[in-house]
Amino acid sequence: MDVVSQLQRQFLDFTTSLYREGFLDDQFVQLQKLQDESNPEFVIEVVSLFFEDSEKLLNNLSTALQQHIVDYKQVDALVHQFKGSSSSIGAQRVKNVCVSFRNYCEEKNVEGCFRCLQQVKHEYHLVKSRLDALFKLEQQILAAGGSVPMIA
Amino acid sequence: MESCNCIEPQWPADELLMKYQYISDFFIALAYFSIPLELIYFVKKSAVFPYRWVLVQFGAFIVLCGATHLINLWTFNMHSRTVAVVMTTAKVLTALVSCVTALMLVHIIPDLLSVKTRELFLKNKAAELDREMGLIRTQEETGRHVRMLTHEIRSTLDRHTILKTTLVELGRTLALEECALWMPTRTGLELQLSYTLRHQNPVGFTVPTQLPVINQVFSTNRAVKISPNSPVARLRPVAAKYMPGEVVAVRVPLLHLSNFQIYDWPELSTKRYALMVLMLPSDSARKWHVHELELVEVVADQVAVALSHAAILEESMRARDLLMEQNVALDLARREAETAVRARNDFLAVMNHEMGTPMHAIIAVSSLLQETELTPEQRLMVETILKSSNLLATLINDVLDLSRLEDGSLQLDIGTFNLHALFKEVLNLIKPIASVKKLFITLSLASDLPEYAVGDEKRLMQTLLNVVGNAVKFSKDGSISLSAFVAKSESLRDSRVPDFFPVPSDNHFYLRVQVKDSGSGINPQDIPKLFTKFAQGQSLATKNSDGSGLGLAICKRFVNLMEGHIWIESEGLGKGATAIFVVKLGIPEPSNELKLSFVPKGPANHGQTNFLGLKVLVMDDNGVSRSVTKGLLVHLGCDVMTVSSGDECLRVITQEHQVVFMDICMPGVDGYEVAVRIHETFSKRHERPLIVALTGNTDRVTKEHCLRVGMDGVILKPVSVDKMRSVLSELLEHRVLFEA
């Protein structure tokens, strides 16, 4: 097998594992569908936007939770945002943590919130590193002259 | 004078002398006159005497001599002058003629002698010719004998008769005392006395083959004289009293069947010979003549030929018998096979019917169920049941197809179809089952995979479903990845299938599909059996007794019909398996793509053209969501403007916007308020853009609220491309959409 096929195979295996482990869900697939000749960098753009957004949100969340008196409404709003963006790009695990985060917010459970914050940070970093790796693989395939296989 | 002829002589003593002279002369004259008469008589009788003229001369000579003597008779007495004259004349003439004759004889006698010589010569020649005639006659006799012998020998194809006849005939022809035939034993090391002329039951004498006398005979194809004391010639107890006759031995080549392409017999070294020994009668002075030896040699050759013919005949009879036996066996086998095939077909037909009836019942009832009121989940379930049952019904029909496949009477239904849609359809069909088992399925299509292809869509789908179905069936958890590529020529030659050499051409391409699962795997030893009908591996049988075992066999046949190849790789039990197949599909003419009447199943596909230029406004405060929604709509061809707040929305909205998508979960902004305001801005219904709410939860409260404020639709986030597409088309058609 030549380099391109090997890379493609690697890409497929990696992608499959991402879905299998729940890092990504169908929404990510939808995103990839939106990428075409008129919009070749769509996915990367959206994902970069997500990363930016998420960094900000996480910072704000940390700040908010470290307040002496926690403003749960604000926290809830931030988590809601995070949930929205993560579900938009299909970061499933992040989204799931956000859901339970919101529950703790409603209960006004500080420890629960803290725990969730840690969890969501953790999940976020996991998915970020994986997406970075995915994009790197894509670059490699394109550099080797191949085409990135489409997942449906 | 007295007329009396009696002569009365005066008889004095000296007249006696005269008397005697007188009488003698008389008789001489008589003799002389009679000789010519005799001569004339004999010459007249024989026609061959060459010297007639000589005879005449001689005759004249004799006549004259006779006349002379006769006239002499008158001169004994007194005779007249006339008589004297006549006498003189006669004498003169006689002298003349006799001299001439004498002279003549000088010439004649050598001739006469040579005649004699010639006569002798001719006699010798005649004797010689006689001898030669005798020889020729003998040879002809011999030839006749040989022909007769050969005829006798060759008139039978039985080995024993041949040999016996040979000996008998030879014995008769050549008047032999004894004639014997020594045959080589199986090992070839000894010669065994097999046949004799006189002895009825020859005792089994053997002599070793390596005797010098035997080697001498075997080394030449001529008949060889041998000593009567040599072991091969001593067939009878030797009694001292008689002198044994001469003995001749000759070799008889025995041909093996395999030697028939060789025409020159003496050249061969590894040949078997038999020995024929012929003995002349003892106590006779007979010797072997050359022609007899030749006869023996010729006969030996003929015998060899006859024996080989006999051997061939035996062999061919044996072969024919064998063939007949085989024919009978084959016939029986064929009849049995036919019976088996008929039985199998009957079985298949019956099974087909038996399986079909309940199947049709399921399909019918499910269809009826579909018509009733159902919750969405129930509807989904019923649809799955219906789809699966239809599939199963097709599969049952194809059980019969299999037998038709094997007869070679099945043909592919070639048509143009959407390849991408086919894969998606397969995925959609399998997804429900897979999700029940918590299996994750991915589909990846190579970017250079043509969208449309020419081939048998139904059977390709069937194959695909079967293979994917197997992957699902034999995986308890994990994931299944289905990928499709266009096979390039290097990758076409897979080392695992060395006898498959596909050749791509201009209007065909090879589709390569791989289905990889992380399931229970297959023992590499079982892999060849997988494609055999009704055969299941040991482990498979215990786990899934509901598999008919036909699936892969049918797939293989379909794939073969499509000029492709299918195989399965697995590293072993528990390590998953990959099923790979390559099939040949045609590339459709570009013009055909637009004429397609085939509508892919699934969500209604109105194409992107409907939405081209559709002016849409998207209101969402979440940057990521906003870009995703925008990307979605742009992909569908819309002209999208985005705003991130309600105020901004109200500011930019115009009559030209046909649809507004707004996220109603925005904190701090009341989407509902915005909707109300939009209604106020655009009083006329046809000027107002359609408002669709994007929300994360679609409970009844939210929906009612949306309805109340005059929204035209509610969609649950996240939105897929297909969903957006159908939403837009529904909206534009009905101007209202409420997702159930």
Side-chain angles (χ1 to χ4, degrees):
Chain A
M1 267 208 288
D2 59 336
V3 178
V4 173
S5 319
Q6 225 171 4
L7 285 172
Q8 282 174 337
R9 205 172 230 215
Q10 234 182 321
F11 179 81
L12 278 175
D13 287 339
F14 187 60
T15 317
T16 316
S17 72
L18 285 181
Y19 287 106
R20 196 175 51 238
E21 289 162 27
F23 285 107
L24 297 173
D25 65 13
D26 198 51
Q27 183 59 19
F28 191 73
V29 177
Q30 296 298 324
L31 275 191
Q32 291 194 310
K33 276 196 195 163
L34 300 177
Q35 184 161 298
D36 53 25
E37 294 88 50
S38 56
N39 220 341
E41 301 285 309
F42 182 68
V43 178
I44 294 192
E45 280 171 5
V46 173
V47 172
S48 314
L49 196 54
F50 168 71
F51 289 158
E52 270 178 44
D53 231 21
S54 308
E55 305 280 338
K56 276 190 249 168
L57 279 171
L58 284 171
N59 284 338
N60 291 345
L61 272 170
S62 309
T63 320
L65 280 176
Q66 275 160 9
Q67 299 294 324
H68 197 60
I69 301 173
V70 176
D71 184 357
Y72 286 104
K73 259 210 156 74
Q74 192 194 11
V75 171
D76 187 68
L78 288 168
V79 173
H80 178 85
Q81 280 267 347
F82 204 5
K83 173 167 165 254
S85 31
S86 59
S87 71
S88 292
I89 69 151
Q92 196 182 38
R93 279 155 78 136
V94 175
K95 183 189 77 177
N96 291 342
V97 177
C98 287
V99 170
S100 40
F101 202 154
R102 282 191 90 189
N103 289 339
Y104 284 122
C105 280
E106 266 182 49
E107 295 166 17
K108 298 199 189 331
N109 185 335
V110 148
E111 273 123 41
C113 289
F114 255 113
R115 264 206 310 281
C116 278
L117 179 62
Q118 297 310 318
Q119 223 182 332
V120 87
K121 267 195 189 159
H122 176 69
E123 289 297 335
Y124 166 72
H125 282 116
L126 280 176
V127 82
K128 180 167 180 334
S129 65
R130 276 171 174 65
L131 282 172
D132 280 336
L134 193 72
F135 292 137
K136 199 144 151 235
L137 259 177
E138 273 189 21
Q139 304 277 356
Q140 279 179 329
I141 294 176
L142 290 170
S147 57
V148 180
M150 262 259 288
I151 317 275
Chain B
M1 274 237 227
E2 279 159 42
S3 58
C4 169
N5 278 339
C6 312
I7 299 152
E8 222 176 63
Q10 321 258 307
W11 304 108
D14 57 326
E15 281 183 11
L16 202 65
L17 280 169
M18 289 251 304
K19 216 202 285 195
Y20 284 135
Q21 275 194 349
Y22 194 80
I23 293 168
S24 309
D25 271 336
F26 175 71
F27 275 110
I28 288 168
L30 207 65
Y32 273 151
F33 279 129
S34 66
I35 288 173
L37 289 173
E38 284 171 12
L39 274 176
I40 289 167
Y41 175 72
F42 283 124
V43 166
K44 270 216 160 54
K45 275 282 181 187
S46 86
V48 294
F49 197 75
Y51 300 109
R52 290 234 176 145
W53 177 242
V54 174
L55 272 177
V56 167
Q57 259 183 315
F58 216 60
F61 169 57
I62 291 176
V63 162
L64 283 171
C65 273
T68 311
H69 280 286
L70 193 66
I71 297 170
N72 218 19
L73 286 177
W74 274 265
T75 60
F76 282 104
N77 296 325
M78 294 292 285
H79 52 280
S80 62
R81 196 184 150 81
T82 322
V83 171
V85 169
V86 168
M87 182 77 201
T88 315
T89 319
K91 273 201 178 153
V92 165
L93 276 172
T94 309
L96 211 67
V97 171
S98 57
C99 288
V100 168
T101 308
L103 283 168
M104 203 54 93
L105 274 172
V106 172
H107 290 287
I108 287 175
I109 293 200
D111 276 346
L112 282 174
L113 280 175
S114 76
V115 164
K116 241 347 187 186
T117 323
R118 266 214 296 277
E119 191 193 311
L120 210 64
F121 175 69
L122 278 169
K123 216 193 284 190
N124 283 342
K125 262 279 180 241
E128 222 179 274
L129 274 169
D130 261 336
R131 271 202 302 278
E132 265 177 38
M133 266 285 287
L135 232 94
I136 287 173
R137 215 176 279 130
T138 325
Q139 274 180 350
E140 201 202 323
E141 280 279 311
T142 314
R144 221 166 17 85
H145 279 299
V146 167
R147 273 196 298 282
M148 189 248 314
L149 251 166
T150 313
H151 176 76
E152 287 296 317
I153 291 170
R154 299 276 285 271
S155 66
T156 170
L157 285 170
D158 173 50
R159 177 188 279 259
H160 293 285
T161 320
I162 289 172
L163 293 169
K164 220 42 186 146
T165 314
T166 311
L167 297 180
V168 163
E169 293 300 325
L170 264 179
R172 208 178 40 217
T173 310
L174 298 172
L176 299 171
E177 174 174 336
E178 180 63 270
C179 192
L181 190 69
W182 299 76
M183 300 285 277
T185 56
R186 197 153 272 276
T187 59
L189 295 173
E190 291 185 324
L191 291 176
Q192 187 179 23
L193 182 62
S194 314
Y195 305 92
T196 60
L197 191 54
R198 307 288 170 206
H199 293 169
Q200 290 309 105
N201 301 313
V203 185
F205 289 137
T206 59
V207 292
T209 313
Q210 292 306 320
L211 283 182
V213 62
I214 297 179
N215 278 336
Q216 187 198 3
V217 176
F218 280 176
S219 62
T220 168
N221 64 342
R222 321 240 23 198
V224 175
K225 292 204 185 101
I226 62 173
S227 156
N229 294 324
S230 56
V232 289
R234 249 186 289 135
L235 296 172
R236 299 208 191 161
V238 178
K241 61 174 166 139
Y242 61 81
M243 180 70 178
E246 285 194 347
V247 180
V248 143
V250 71
R251 73 176 187 188
V252 181
L254 297 175
L255 288 178
H256 290 285
L257 278 167
S258 54
N259 290 347
F260 272 100
Q261 48 271 41
I262 300 151
Y263 303 108
D264 223 354
W265 297 359
E267 245 79 312
L268 296 170
S269 52
T270 57
K271 297 235 20 231
R272 283 159 43 101
Y273 298 108
L275 189 73
M276 197 152 57
V277 176
L278 307 144
M279 281 182 262
L280 286 179
S282 46
D283 278 347
S284 77
R286 248 184 79 184
K287 294 223 176 278
W288 283 100
H289 297 284
V290 168
H291 68 267
E292 287 169 344
L293 293 179
E294 279 170 10
L295 175 78
V296 166
E297 284 157 23
V298 167
V299 168
D301 277 347
Q302 289 299 318
V303 165
V305 170
L307 283 176
S308 54
H309 284 188
I312 294 180
L313 183 74
E314 263 172 46
E315 192 64 31
S316 79
M317 298 281 268
R318 211 153 14 101
R320 193 193 58 161
D321 286 339
L322 199 65
L323 270 172
M324 278 192 30
E325 263 178 61
Q326 279 179 347
N327 261 358
V328 167
L330 274 171
D331 207 29
L332 189 67
R334 182 179 57 87
R335 274 200 301 268
E336 279 179 15
E338 274 176 12
T339 320
V341 164
R342 266 200 302 273
R344 186 217 41 198
N345 283 344
D346 289 341
F347 169 76
L348 284 177
V350 164
M351 279 303 288
N352 178 41
H353 181 260
E354 294 306 312
M355 288 200 276
T357 316
M359 205 68 259
H360 291 137
I362 295 175
I363 292 173
V365 171
S366 308
S367 309
L368 285 175
L369 192 59
Q370 223 184 10
E371 303 294 318
T372 65
E373 249 207 35
L374 300 167
T375 69
E377 293 96 15
Q378 285 176 323
R379 190 164 288 278
L380 199 63
M381 286 189 239
V382 172
E383 273 171 14
T384 308
I385 293 175
L386 211 50
K387 272 193 194 151
S388 304
S389 328
N390 274 323
L391 209 64
L392 191 55
T394 317
L395 281 172
I396 290 172
N397 285 336
D398 289 337
V399 166
L400 260 186
D401 266 357
L402 185 65
S403 51
R404 276 194 285 141
L405 269 173
E406 293 186 331
D407 298 340
S409 57
L410 189 83
Q411 279 170 336
L412 297 175
D413 301 321
I414 306 288
T416 311
F417 62 94
N418 188 325
L419 195 59
H420 288 223
L422 184 130
F423 280 104
K424 292 199 186 110
E425 172 80 4
V426 167
L427 196 69
N428 288 338
L429 282 170
I430 288 293
K431 259 195 183 144
I433 308 169
S435 58
V436 162
K437 289 180 93 167
K438 302 224 179 342
L439 292 167
F440 195 87
I441 301 200
T442 55
L443 167 66
S444 101
L445 302 172
S447 50
D448 59 348
L449 194 70
E451 200 180 340
Y452 294 97
V454 177
D456 188 333
E457 188 204 0
K458 178 179 138 202
R459 303 236 160 79
L460 182 61
M461 166 117 86
Q462 207 176 319
T463 309
L464 204 51
L465 274 170
N466 202 303
V467 170
V468 175
N470 276 346
V472 168
K473 198 163 34 159
F474 296 117
S475 303
K476 280 197 287 202
D477 51 29
S479 69
I480 293 170
S481 84
L482 171 64
S483 48
F485 314 97
V486 171
K488 301 288 181 294
S489 49
E490 315 85 49
S491 62
L492 283 176
R493 275 184 205 99
D494 207 305
S495 56
R496 281 161 291 227
V497 278
D499 52 346
F500 179 55
F501 291 113
V503 178
S505 66
D506 273 342
N507 46 7
H508 287 104
F509 71 99
Y510 282 89
L511 170 72
R512 181 186 166 108
V513 177
Q514 277 173 214
V515 178
K516 186 170 162 162
D517 72 62
S518 56
S520 52
I522 304 166
N523 198 329
Q525 291 159 307
D526 285 338
I527 290 182
K529 279 193 269 171
L530 286 171
F531 292 101
T532 321
K533 281 196 306 178
F534 305 118
Q536 290 197 16
Q538 277 288 27
S539 52
L540 300 181
T542 52
K543 281 189 197 160
N544 280 307
S545 52
D546 52 324
S548 67
L550 272 181
L552 281 175
I554 296 185
C555 288
K556 187 176 167 85
R557 276 160 185 78
F558 285 155
V559 166
N560 284 340
L561 272 176
M562 293 188 222
E563 298 177 54
H565 197 89
I566 179 170
W567 70 98
I568 293 188
E569 297 163 16
S570 172
E571 282 163 45
L573 289 169
K575 295 200 178 105
T578 309
I580 306 170
F581 67 87
V582 179
V583 290
K584 186 177 179 187
L585 294 175
I587 299 171
E589 299 291 309
S591 57
N592 285 350
E593 284 182 59
L594 299 173
K595 290 190 236 149
L596 277 184
S597 55
F598 174 85
V599 178
K601 303 172 185 77
N605 180 11
H606 290 269
Q608 296 178 6
T609 50
N610 285 3
F611 311 133
L612 209 56
L614 185 73
K615 281 198 107 164
V616 180
L617 186 63
V618 173
M619 185 181 89
D620 195 332
D621 69 332
N622 187 320
V624 178
S625 291
R626 203 168 50 234
S627 4
V628 172
T629 314
K630 176 177 174 178
L632 200 54
L633 291 163
V634 163
H635 182 76
L636 290 172
C638 307
D639 180 6
V640 186
M641 194 190 297
T642 58
V643 292
S644 55
S645 71
D647 295 330
E648 212 183 327
C649 172
L650 291 168
R651 257 206 309 279
V652 300
I653 195 160
T654 66
Q655 205 176 350
E656 289 173 350
H657 291 110
Q658 284 164 285
V659 189
V660 176
F661 287 96
M662 57 171 72
D663 185 325
I664 51 175
C665 313
M666 290 194 300
V669 178
D670 195 354
Y672 304 115
E673 184 67 35
V674 175
V676 169
R677 294 289 292 282
I678 291 175
H679 267 275
E680 285 168 8
T681 317
F682 300 94
S683 48
K684 295 208 184 65
R685 202 186 146 89
H686 65 270
E687 291 168 350
R688 182 175 58 76
L690 296 166
I691 308 173
V692 180
L694 292 167
T695 171
N697 60 340
T698 51
D699 56 358
R700 260 183 54 232
V701 174
T702 320
K703 259 197 263 180
E704 276 173 15
H705 202 170
C706 292
L707 265 176
R708 245 201 325 267
V709 296
M711 297 214 184
D712 300 296
V714 179
I715 317 179
L716 183 64
K717 283 208 291 191
V719 191
S720 69
V721 179
D722 296 328
K723 201 194 310 192
M724 185 58 92
R725 201 185 273 130
S726 62
V727 157
L728 281 176
S729 52
E730 181 95 32
L731 260 182
L732 295 173
E733 218 175 291
H734 301 126
R735 301 198 69 80
V736 75
L737 168 83
F738 272 94
E739 199 173 42

